DNA sequence: GGAGGTCAAGGGTACC
DNA sequence: GGTACCCTTGACCTCC
């Protein structure tokens, strides 16, 4: 009753506050016109299984992220070499150094191995990231394709650090240029189209319509080549889906594909097709090959290792390496410099760690924590000035200048907050609750060591979809929680995805959120099914197909008292199902490399074997496998396994040398099969 | 070995890309001078934990939105009565008929009662909104203060509709005048302060400290009332948990609570408590009652009920109810519209069920299932084009156009997947295993009945920072989306703010963007933390502070054969944690109004209680709270709660009269604490 | 133990 | 460039 009431309450709550209605996600996908921001329509399936989409107005072709509709894209041009379109917000985000491209894993701290954001572009075949790096883009460490690099040169961001060229040297910083949407920038994109040599096709599409093929020439690394090759990709995806109105030819790139500079000699059309259209050379400049990375200049931010992923740490345990020469003056701020005009700069001006070398900020936090009860007792007795908490923290820090807030001798809410000290690890400014949780200042600086209690010899299961750590058997295969939820949401809401590439996106842990279509496709291919309920539905189906004895449906009364018992109900189901199975289709009984073998029962076996092989491969403990196998053999659920499948499974186990007591398995199996083994 | 290599590869790959360090945002916050729009300086943390800010120039004090700094505000004067300053951007927005004040929810159609945009101005004491209305301002129907009204008259906007005066009649249209910044306009702001009438308490909280009690007067509607009653709400929530310092008197409202106009005679303190505090009259004028919100127009989407949750159903057995009149044409898409230019749209273009009424999709699936063996034999012999499976499905469906994938004649993984057809029941795209289980298409198309049981009387949650409508628990407290994002950005990027005032800025919905410093300070004070990963980091911290027993790390070998068992491992972790917690810090065990109580375990409890009280206050169902409490008590995660906190929590629950079976809670608690209760 | 629900975290992006 | 709204995601939880 309680969940019922809760449920009803929640529903009414959601219904009541219509604003909260969108809390339930995905019911209606409103689409935002990219430029205007207007909501253009609902994309939904209205009635029955016939997907009906509210037809969009003709002049409002768009997609959700604003990449697809060419009408809302900004043309840009750089000389004759670079010319193209991209969405305005994309450019804006690039310009403002925000993260572009597909977002990373939302729930994760550890950002792992992302690649060029141009993977948003439709062609996945072409985005092998280069090994160039771009400094200055926030928070997504990607390996940009060369098109990205070119675009970055277009953006006037003088504060951005210069490009890093991986192997050899620092490239010249890009000359700040005024970027206007329609202005043809006089880039110094000199077209060195000489000696391209071997075209190593590391082409990366930039937008939906363009790709840059960066030639990877095996040449001395000191040689500079600035050429790039622009490839035009027709916008087939859009016209395909939205039918974009008149023909769907991208209005961008008014100029004919004149490969300015004569790079055509070196450029050969790639053997692949992008959206079914062969790329077309329109210009560009070349890129030198990239050697393995040089040790980069130490950024002003210290990067730490967190969970196997390098993250940026603001406060580091050891003194930073000497700053590079080109960096702006990183002189430690004297208190006067930071508080020179601080008549209302609220807190005390002593920067705690300004002189000491900050031995360990977390240690400091721990110290603070230990002495929490003594030094920060209660606020009612009298405020402890923030400077008073100093002595534990820094040796030279607690000069206590200007203690307390500037003017207001008010209540505790008037306590000032020195944010620099806060980020430096001074938790005494926080109320007691946060002192320990500490705003999770370790957000970006997770401990590098990760003691990892040493019983993790067990390598975890890995997801069959994305290679993440799996949590078990979900919907038929071993998946992680993410893929499980993704599959569930997809089927539950009948979402329709499209791949902006050609449908062969790689699904890894880092990339699984890039393409929903390909992720779901892989789910299907790997055999995810909604079982559970399926068995019931299947029962109904088969019973209906048999003779229709239960056609009256739910109106009938149940004779036997059905207390829900998982074992008995399961037993009943399986015996029944086995009957059904024996009735029809011996053709399903075959070995597991045959496709039709995959009826659900046998498919369970296959999955188990899969687990087995997988785990053996990654050197999991055999004992775990044996447990799984024991379960598979002895549990009532799998008791109806065909003998052949069982035998093959056992054979698989035998093949593993680490396996120990196969005899017991044999015994148990033979017991289950009346000694037929 | 394979995952090892993969892992190592990933780590090295990520380590390589550490140059992208500045990708993490917010290293340098550029600030824009309000008038000129120029970037004034960089504000960044340079090295390590010692923040160094590039000092701004002296003559360039500013804030982000240009509201706070009086240097950039425009003085204007209206006779001797009205005189003040406002920011230039506000005037500009007014002039251009943009929405001023808080922007509306973009995803919402129904705009809800926002307040006077003058809440953006620095003086909060002066913006009691009048009941005049202004038509012609887009997208925000607010109640402007008289200052706004005068300002509107200043604006030469002939296209704007005339003012709307609430009760009676249309005011005269404002005479178009040339607006200049320093011109003194002759306004005729008359103050009607007569006869307020009976106060019916439909109090709407206005800001955090002020509430406007709208008088429901039993009087002829033609009667004019201009009074307002301002009610001050103490911020007890904060002081209760965090002990807020000296009494927690809100710093706002510098003036004494002079109820301007003598409205106090009519005002009685409301019987309800807002966030646990009884509102307190401080002044203001009255409001006409607000009519209940008009029923929202029926969405154009057909909503189905799936599992008790309303979802959008793409396929449903019966034809949908007739679409509402206001909806756009929900005509079913003709096949041409969805697939007209599909040279590489992967699958065949015929929408299967576009014409038939889809008698039952499960029947279709059953049909497919029965004929499975014949039509989908094996993939090795040759791929069956997806269109070939059609004839069973839909009558007009199987035209089989464009079968197969576009270009790639590759392996089976390149097979495309038409998801709309999939949801339409075309199972032939699935591999053999899933064809029988059929992805359980019956999942999401449960009968849409559930006609919205009408139990809605729930007030929405309000943000603890700015009193905006909250959307849930974010970072520990109940906040709106804006404050959530603000806190996230701040902590994520470690931004450093300063307050150009004295650090006691009032944070309301309208003013929250005026001072980032004070907003973040309030976030801190209210107890926002980045939880989640905190506990793990905290454990690590404390363990490190303890003795560092695991310093040897991963080198040690495990003696006992550890069969992987999730339950035991989980148990072990928690018992370990419990031991640890019992080892140290009894001093943390105290009631929740004590400051030091807030260790993280207890803090969880506090949050629960907070939610509890909040939800009780806004009349949520106790049953939901009980679930939360049950979770807190019974789940293994919170098993280590100190007994005092548990007791106080239970006491809190006991205080709620609606609570039913406290006994079970006691039992479970005592079971967890060895009968000590 | 898996299916399914929950909901906070975070990303994208329009708008200012 | 910040803000905030909307959406997806996935870790965690409950139920059966
Ligand atoms: Zn996965
Ligand atoms: Zn894809
Ligand atoms: Zn808020
Ligand atoms: Zn302030």
């Amino acid at each position: 009753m309680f969940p019922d009431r809760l449920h009803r309450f929640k529903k009414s709550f959601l219904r009541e506050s219509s604003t909260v209605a969108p809390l339930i996600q995905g019911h209606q996908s409103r689409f935002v016109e990219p430029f205007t921001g207007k909501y253009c329509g609902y994309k939904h399936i209205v009635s029955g299984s016939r997907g009906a989409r509210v037809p969009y107005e003709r002049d409002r072709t768009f997609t959700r992220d604003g990449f697809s509709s060419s009408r809302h894209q900004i043309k840009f041009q750089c000389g004759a070499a670079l010319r193209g379109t991209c969405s305005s917000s994309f450019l804006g985000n690039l310009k403002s150094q925000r993260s572009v491209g597909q977002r990373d894993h939302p729930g994760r701290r550890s950002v792992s191995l992302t690649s060029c954001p141009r993977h948003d572009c439709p062609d996945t075949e072409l985005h092998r990231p280069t090994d160039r790096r771009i400094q200055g883009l926030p928070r997504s460490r990607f390996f940009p394709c060369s098109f990205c690099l070119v675009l970055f040169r277009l953006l006037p961001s003088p504060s951005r650090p210069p490009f890093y060229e991986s192997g050899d040297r620092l490239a010249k910083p890009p000359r700040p240029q005024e970027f206007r949407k329609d202005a043809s920038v006089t880039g110094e994109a000199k077209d060195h189209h000489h000696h391209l040599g071997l075209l190593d096709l590391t082409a990366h599409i930039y937008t939906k319509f363009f790709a840059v093929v960066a030639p990877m020439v095996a040449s001395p690394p000191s040689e500079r080549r600035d050429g790039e090759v622009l490839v035009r990709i027709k916008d087939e995806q859009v016209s395909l889906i939205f039918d974009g109105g008149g023909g769907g030819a991208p209005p961008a790139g008014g100029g004919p594909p004149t490969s300015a500079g004569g790079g055509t000699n070196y450029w050969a059309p790639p053997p692949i097709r992008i959206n079914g259209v062969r790329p077309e050379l329109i210009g560009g400049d070349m890129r030198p090959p990239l050697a393995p990375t040089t040790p980069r200049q130490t950024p002003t931010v210290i990067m730490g290792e967190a969970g196997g992923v390098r993250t940026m740490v603001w406060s580091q345990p050891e003194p930073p390496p000497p700053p590079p020469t080109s960096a702006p003056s990183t002189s430690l701020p004297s208190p006067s410099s930071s508080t020179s005009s601080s008549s209302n700069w609220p807190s005390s001006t002593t920067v705690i760690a300004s002189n000491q070398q900050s031995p360990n900020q977390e240690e400091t936090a721990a110290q603070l924590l230990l002495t929490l009860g003594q030094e920060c007792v209660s606020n009612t007795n009298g405020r402890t000035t923030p400077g008073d908490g100093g002595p534990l923290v820094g040796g030279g820090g607690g000069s206590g200048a200007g203690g307390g807030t500037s003017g207001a001798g008010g209540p505790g809410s008037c306590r000032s907050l020195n944010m620099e000290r806060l980020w430096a690890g001074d938790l005494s400014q926080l109320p007691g609750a946060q002192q320990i949780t500490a705003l999770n200042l370790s957000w970006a600086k997770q401990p590098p060591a990760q003691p990892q209690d040493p019983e993790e010899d067990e390598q975890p299961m890995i997801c069959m979809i994305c290679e993440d750590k799996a949590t078990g058997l979900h919907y038929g295969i071993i998946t992680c929680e993410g893929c499980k939820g993704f599959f569930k949401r997809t089927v539950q809401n009948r979402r329709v995805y499209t791949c902006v590439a050609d449908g062969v996106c790689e699904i890894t842990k880092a990339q699984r959120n890039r393409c929903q279509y390909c992720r779901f496709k892989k789910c299907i291919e790997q055999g995810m099914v909604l079982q559970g309920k399926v068995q019931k539905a299947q029962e109904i189906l088969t019973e209906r197909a048999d003779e229709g004895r239960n056609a009256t449906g739910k109106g009938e009364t149940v004779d036997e008292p059905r207390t829900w018992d998982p074992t008995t109900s399961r037993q009943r189901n399986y015996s029944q199902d086995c009957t059904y199975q024996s009735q029809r289709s011996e053709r399903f009984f075959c070995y597991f490399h045959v496709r039709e073998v995959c009826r659900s029962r046998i498919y369970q076996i296959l999955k188990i074997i899969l687990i087995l092989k997988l785990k053996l491969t990654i050197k999991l403990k055999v004992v775990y496998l044996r447990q799984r196998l024991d379960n598979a053999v002895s549990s009532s659920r799998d008791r109806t396994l065909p003998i052949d499948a069982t035998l093959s499974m056992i054979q698989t186990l035998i093949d593993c040398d680490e396996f120990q007591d196969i005899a017991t398995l044999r015994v148990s199996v033979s017991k289950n099969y009346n000694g037929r083994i």
Side-chain angles (χ1 to χ4, degrees), chain A:
Chain A
M1 66 179 75
F2 157 63
D4 279 341
R5 287 181 58 197
L6 174 67
H7 192 68
R8 265 187 284 117
F9 155 67
K10 282 186 180 174
K11 271 200 329 191
S12 72
F13 182 78
L14 288 177
R15 186 186 337 113
E16 181 41 34
S17 56
S18 66
T19 56
V20 198
L23 285 188
I24 303 185
Q25 305 161 353
H27 292 174
Q28 47 198 11
S29 303
R30 261 180 270 188
F31 281 76
V32 180
E33 206 170 6
F35 260 22
T36 65
K38 282 191 297 186
Y39 285 109
C40 288
Y42 295 83
K43 187 178 185 181
H44 54 236
I45 302 295
V46 200
S47 145
S49 62
R50 307 162 300 270
R53 233 172 328 140
V54 172
Y56 307 104
E57 306 179 23
R58 271 300 188 164
D59 50 349
R60 284 183 183 178
T61 62
F62 57 89
T63 54
R64 276 196 62 256
D65 52 356
F67 272 101
S68 301
S69 173
S70 58
R71 308 193 187 202
H72 301 289
Q73 290 187 342
I74 291 179
K75 297 185 185 63
F76 83 89
Q77 185 173 8
C78 168
L82 268 177
R83 172 188 310 147
T85 62
C86 60
S87 78
S88 63
S89 49
F90 179 75
L91 269 190
N93 283 335
L94 271 185
K95 202 169 172 183
S96 61
Q97 299 194 353
R98 260 183 239 144
S99 70
V100 289
Q102 199 70 18
R103 66 175 141 182
D104 204 70
H105 308 267
R108 303 288 171 67
R109 272 295 143 266
S110 62
V111 182
S112 61
L113 180 60
T114 57
S115 57
C116 167
R118 295 316 314 141
H119 279 158
D120 268 337
C121 68
D123 194 333
T124 60
E125 188 64 21
L126 294 180
H127 346 282
R128 281 177 250 134
T130 67
D131 51 353
R132 302 231 189 156
R133 312 233 169 86
I134 293 178
Q135 268 194 334
L137 270 196
R139 216 174 1 154
S140 68
R141 39 181 97 87
F142 53 82
F143 281 40
C145 61
S146 53
F147 199 130
C148 289
L149 293 173
V150 174
L151 200 73
F152 269 93
R153 301 213 174 181
L154 286 181
L155 299 175
S157 180
S159 65
R160 185 154 27 83
F163 288 159
Y164 261 128
E165 300 218 359
S166 61
D168 34 16
R169 76 219 165 270
L170 240 56
K172 292 180 185 175
R175 180 176 318 183
Q177 295 172 347
E178 184 60 27
F179 176 76
R180 278 166 302 159
K181 292 194 285 189
D182 46 356
S184 70
V185 187
T186 69
E188 79 283 42
K190 294 163 289 191
D191 295 343
H192 308 268
H193 288 301
H194 49 282
H195 77 283
L196 283 178
L198 169 63
L199 255 182
D200 189 5
L201 188 68
T202 57
H204 304 281
I205 299 186
Y206 211 106
T207 68
K208 195 163 191 62
F209 317 112
F210 291 89
V212 170
V213 178
M216 305 285 279
V217 190
S219 60
S222 64
E223 188 124 18
R224 297 207 43 187
R225 271 157 278 100
D226 293 334
E228 281 158 355
V229 177
L230 264 186
V231 176
R232 170 167 304 173
I233 309 294
K234 287 231 181 68
D235 183 8
E236 194 169 323
Q237 200 77 33
V238 175
S239 60
L240 182 134
I241 292 185
F242 295 105
D243 192 18
T258 65
S259 70
T264 45
N265 303 332
Y266 304 97
W267 191 81
I272 62 154
R273 296 161 68 88
I274 302 169
N275 275 344
V277 180
R278 203 172 288 273
E280 163 195 2
L281 180 69
I282 61 171
D285 53 358
M286 300 305 179
R287 275 313 166 74
L290 305 171
T293 68
T294 71
R296 286 153 268 96
Q297 75 172 9
T298 314
T300 61
V301 193
I302 307 302
M303 305 299 282
E305 189 93 16
V309 176
R310 288 182 72 82
T311 54
M312 195 181 71
V313 183
W314 285 66
S315 59
Q316 82 267 17
E318 58 270 358
T325 60
S326 67
S329 71
T330 61
S331 65
L332 299 180
S334 67
S336 64
S337 74
S338 70
T339 59
S340 61
S341 67
S342 66
S343 72
N344 57 3
W345 174 240
S347 72
S348 75
T349 63
T350 65
V351 179
I352 270 194
S354 66
N355 285 327
Q356 65 175 354
Q357 285 303 319
S358 77
N360 194 346
Q361 293 302 325
E362 294 185 10
E363 294 287 341
T364 304
Q367 293 297 325
L368 267 175
L369 194 149
L370 288 177
T371 60
L372 189 70
Q374 286 83 13
E375 71 174 350
C376 186
V377 276
S378 168
N379 229 5
T380 58
N381 312 354
R383 286 199 331 277
T384 64
T385 62
D388 293 342
L392 259 176
V393 184
S399 71
T405 62
S406 62
S413 69
C414 295
R415 277 189 58 190
S416 63
L417 178 71
N418 188 335
M419 296 188 68
E420 301 190 3
R421 286 185 59 177
L422 176 65
W423 301 136
D426 180 14
L427 306 181
S428 64
Q429 304 179 71
L430 304 180
Q434 288 98 322
Q435 289 201 1
I436 188 138
T437 51
L439 272 178
N440 195 10
L441 281 182
S442 61
W443 192 351
K445 54 172 177 183
Q446 297 196 358
Q450 186 65 294
Q452 283 291 3
D453 45 359
E455 43 117 4
E456 36 92 2
D457 47 1
E458 295 275 351
Q459 293 201 8
M461 295 183 291
I462 62 173
C463 173
M464 289 172 60
I465 305 296
C466 68
E467 301 189 353
D468 195 2
K469 190 176 72 60
T471 60
L473 204 65
H474 302 298
Y475 301 107
I477 67 172
I478 296 179
T479 64
C480 62
E481 282 291 318
C483 293
K484 167 193 157 194
F486 172 76
F487 184 77
K488 184 188 71 174
R489 284 191 302 268
T490 302
V491 182
Q492 224 170 13
N493 303 325
R494 306 207 174 193
R495 310 241 307 268
V496 174
Y497 305 132
T498 53
C499 176
V500 293
D502 48 358
V504 289
C505 303
E506 187 185 356
I507 303 298
T508 64
K509 179 184 175 182
Q511 295 177 344
R512 64 184 171 197
N513 286 330
R514 284 238 187 81
C515 183
Q516 293 172 309
Y517 175 85
C518 293
R519 189 182 188 184
F520 185 69
K521 181 157 155 278
K522 191 169 183 181
C523 288
I524 295 292
E525 287 172 0
Q526 296 280 1
M528 287 183 91
V529 285
L530 281 179
Q531 46 187 6
K533 299 246 181 99
V534 170
Q535 297 181 356
K536 188 164 293 182
Q538 190 173 335
E539 268 183 43
I540 294 171
L541 263 180
T542 52
E543 283 186 3
R544 189 181 297 168
D546 264 349
E547 50 261 2
R549 53 188 167 181
N550 285 334
T552 59
K554 60 181 70 173
E556 64 173 305
T557 62
V558 184
D559 305 342
E560 50 182 349
R562 300 205 186 189
T563 62
W564 190 84
D565 185 358
T567 60
T568 58
S569 68
R570 220 182 263 164
Q571 290 274 0
R572 203 176 53 79
N573 280 343
Y574 282 113
S575 63
Q576 191 170 344
D577 189 55
C578 181
T579 307
Y580 163 70
Q581 181 168 342
S582 66
Q583 281 180 3
R584 59 199 318 268
S585 72
E586 263 83 4
R587 64 171 173 271
F588 286 137
F589 289 2
C590 42
Y591 289 101
F592 63 90
H593 59 278
V594 185
R595 216 181 158 81
E596 283 78 9
V597 82
C598 306
R599 281 222 64 231
S600 69
R601 231 19 111 243
I602 307 179
Y603 199 67
Q604 300 298 321
I605 296 275
L606 291 183
K607 284 184 304 187
I608 291 167
I609 293 180
L610 193 68
I611 302 166
L612 194 126
K613 290 177 65 179
L614 216 59
K615 288 196 174 295
L616 283 182
T617 305
I618 62 176
K619 293 189 183 311
L620 282 185
K621 291 287 185 255
V622 175
V623 68
Y624 174 63
L625 305 174
R626 224 191 98 230
Q627 183 191 14
R628 298 299 296 241
L629 185 61
D630 280 339
N631 290 337
V633 171
S634 65
S635 77
S636 64
R637 176 186 230 163
D638 295 313
R639 198 163 286 161
T640 61
L641 293 174
I643 191 65
D644 294 333
T646 310
L647 286 180
S648 65
M649 181 169 64
I650 290 175
Q651 186 56 49
T652 308
L653 271 181
I654 289 174
D655 293 337
C656 311
D657 45 359
E658 289 182 63
F659 196 76
Q660 295 162 354
D661 47 355
I662 194 71
T664 61
L665 262 182
R666 280 185 182 274
V667 166
S668 69
V669 168
S670 63
K671 192 162 54 185
N672 283 329
Y673 285 93
N674 301 323
R676 282 200 303 159
I677 208 164

